[in-house]
Amino acid sequence: MTQTSPPSSPMTSPRPLRVLAAMSGGVDSAVAAARAAEAGHDVTGVHLALSANPQSFRTGARGCCTIEDSRDARRAADVIGIPFYVWDLAERFREDVVEDFIAEYEAGRTPNPCLRCNEKIKFAALLDKALALGFDAVCTGHYATVVLNEDGTRELHRASDMAKDQSYVLGVLDERQLAHAMFPLGDTLTTKDEIRAEAERRGLAVAKKPDSHDICFIADGDTQGFLADRLGKAEGDIVDESGAKIGSHEGAFGFTIGQRKGLRIGHPAADGKPRYVLDISPVNNTVTVGPVEALDVTALGAIKPRWCGTAPAGAGTYTAQLRAHGGETEVTAELVDDVLNVTFAEPVRGVAPGQAIVLYDGTRVVGSATIATTERAAANA
């Protein structure tokens, strides 16, 4: 979908704003801070220390959570010519993101820690502290756009470049938070190579720094090992749709709905086709597998809705995104007693409780909710 130019945005504010730029140590947040300063705003850089022991997170320059990253962010702030601070939010991050991540997997759900971090850390803990200190807005390097309407309300829209759009992980922001959010990279049609070239022109040493794609608090990218260390190994059964045992595992938390690889099933299915994880039951520590067709979901119920503006009234037709890098699918949705009931125009696969569903009206983000239940096509056959 093509987004028209917004009527206004915080970047084009008629008056200079006091802006707190969250600088991860990566290229995107550095360029975002530089653009905000160049636009005439009074910018201060801040790096969030999210671990009591930064070396325990990841090693190497990957754009999040290491001592190297804080140094990279400081050097970028020096080049831009803005004040810079490091804020310790390690305890809040551990409680709201890391422990939540572990608890969700233990309960058989599949969480998205980036959404939780945006909701609880960058646009709650950080924003609240920024406002208390007299700042007007928090600036980040996310690719999304805040639109300021003539009536003073704000909307969250997809980035101009869909290939880089990150509005999915920002779908947890409410209207109050949007009123103080600034995304300088979201409304420019530039490739990532052009962002890096801009960083190089500005003299920012992070121009060639690799992007971070993994979970920042899992140093080696081994999610299953991380969970096993904290939850302990717990042997259980892998069963087929009839309930017959066909294998074993060392912890149901090590699986996700739709998973195909790493099942370690002793013998092939009768039809010779691959099997996929259909269900995870933490109560009896059982993982159920079956054919890919059994993954087809026709409807779902989602809880804890958060709206980027006024909550919609009655049933409506939208597009939905179910993963950070997933495509759009057409849905009808209605909020009933704080549960978002969603029906898909065509069945979708790989939908797991704990994931977020984000609704869109064109490029506008309507809101998000956490998937709690799913309805399978196979169950209705």
Side-chain angles (χ1 to χ4, degrees), residues 80-343:
I80 298 167
I82 59 175
F84 178 83
Y85 301 91
V86 175
W87 286 0
D88 183 1
L89 293 179
E91 184 64 22
R92 182 74 180 266
F93 183 78
R94 181 184 63 80
E95 293 176 357
D96 289 344
V97 179
V98 180
E99 290 186 0
D100 174 80
F101 178 85
I102 296 169
E104 286 293 283
Y105 265 102
E106 187 176 21
R109 296 185 288 266
T110 305
N112 186 313
C114 292
L115 271 83
R116 184 66 65 186
C117 184
N118 285 330
E119 176 187 358
K120 297 292 187 179
I121 305 300
K122 293 177 183 173
F123 292 95
L126 176 62
L127 177 58
D128 289 346
K129 188 171 182 178
L131 295 177
L133 292 173
F135 288 93
D136 300 302
V138 166
C139 162
T140 73
H142 287 100
Y143 289 88
T145 304
V146 177
V147 172
L148 176 61
N149 297 317
E150 293 181 358
D151 63 1
T153 60
R154 284 172 170 79
E155 298 174 350
L156 177 64
H157 284 251
R158 288 191 182 278
S160 298
D161 184 356
M162 278 290 291
K164 299 195 299 294
D165 175 63
Q166 292 177 304
S167 60
Y168 173 85
V169 295
L170 298 170
V172 290
L173 303 187
D174 59 27
E175 191 169 15
R176 169 188 167 274
Q177 293 167 328
L178 289 177
H180 301 284
M182 181 183 289
F183 306 120
L185 305 188
D187 57 0
T188 53
L189 284 170
T190 52
T191 66
K192 190 56 180 277
D193 286 342
E194 288 170 325
I195 292 292
R196 293 189 181 281
E198 179 179 339
E200 194 161 10
R201 288 196 304 272
R202 293 180 181 276
L204 300 172
V206 293
K208 297 180 180 179
K209 187 173 182 178
D211 290 335
S212 175
H213 297 291
D214 303 322
I215 298 171
C216 69
F217 52 85
I218 300 181
D220 57 3
D222 181 8
T223 300
Q224 188 167 352
F226 173 85
L227 293 169
D229 286 344
R230 286 150 182 81
L231 298 175
K233 293 183 179 180
E235 292 189 3
D237 295 338
I238 298 177
V239 302
D240 62 20
E241 291 178 285
S242 71
K245 179 179 177 179
I246 57 175
S248 61
H249 62 77
E250 296 181 340
F253 53 76
F255 299 84
T256 57
I257 301 296
Q259 179 178 334
R260 173 185 172 183
K261 295 182 179 180
L263 300 184
R264 292 180 295 179
I265 298 173
H267 53 276
D271 59 8
K273 294 181 179 179
R275 284 173 289 202
Y276 298 77
V277 175
L278 305 180
D279 185 59
I280 302 164
S281 176
V283 176
N284 56 15
N285 198 27
T286 297
V287 175
T288 302
V289 299
V292 67
E293 295 81 9
L295 287 172
D296 287 346
V297 169
T298 56
L300 62 80
I303 58 175
K304 301 177 182 178
R306 292 179 62 88
W307 306 109
C308 300
T310 304
T317 301
Y318 308 94
T319 57
Q321 189 169 328
L322 298 162
R323 285 174 290 279
H325 304 291
E328 292 180 299
T329 184
E330 292 186 8
V331 301
T332 57
E334 182 177 13
L335 186 65
V336 180
D337 297 330
D338 288 329
V339 175
L340 186 67
N341 296 315
V342 179
T343 301

Side-chain angles (χ1 to χ4, degrees), residues 10-75:
M11 278 293 288
T12 56
S13 172
R15 67 176 179 87
L17 303 176
R18 287 196 67 204
V19 176
L20 187 69
M23 302 181 69
S24 68
V27 62
D28 290 331
S29 60
V31 171
R35 287 187 178 185
E38 190 174 64
H41 299 300
D42 179 8
V43 180
T44 296
V46 62
H47 179 80
L48 304 183
L50 300 180
S51 172
N53 177 16
Q55 291 179 333
S56 70
F57 274 13
R58 68 167 76 251
T59 56
R62 296 296 305 278
C64 187
C65 307
T66 68
I67 293 174
E68 305 147 65
D69 296 320
S70 65
R71 291 170 180 164
D72 287 342
R74 183 179 295 278
R75 283 191 286 266

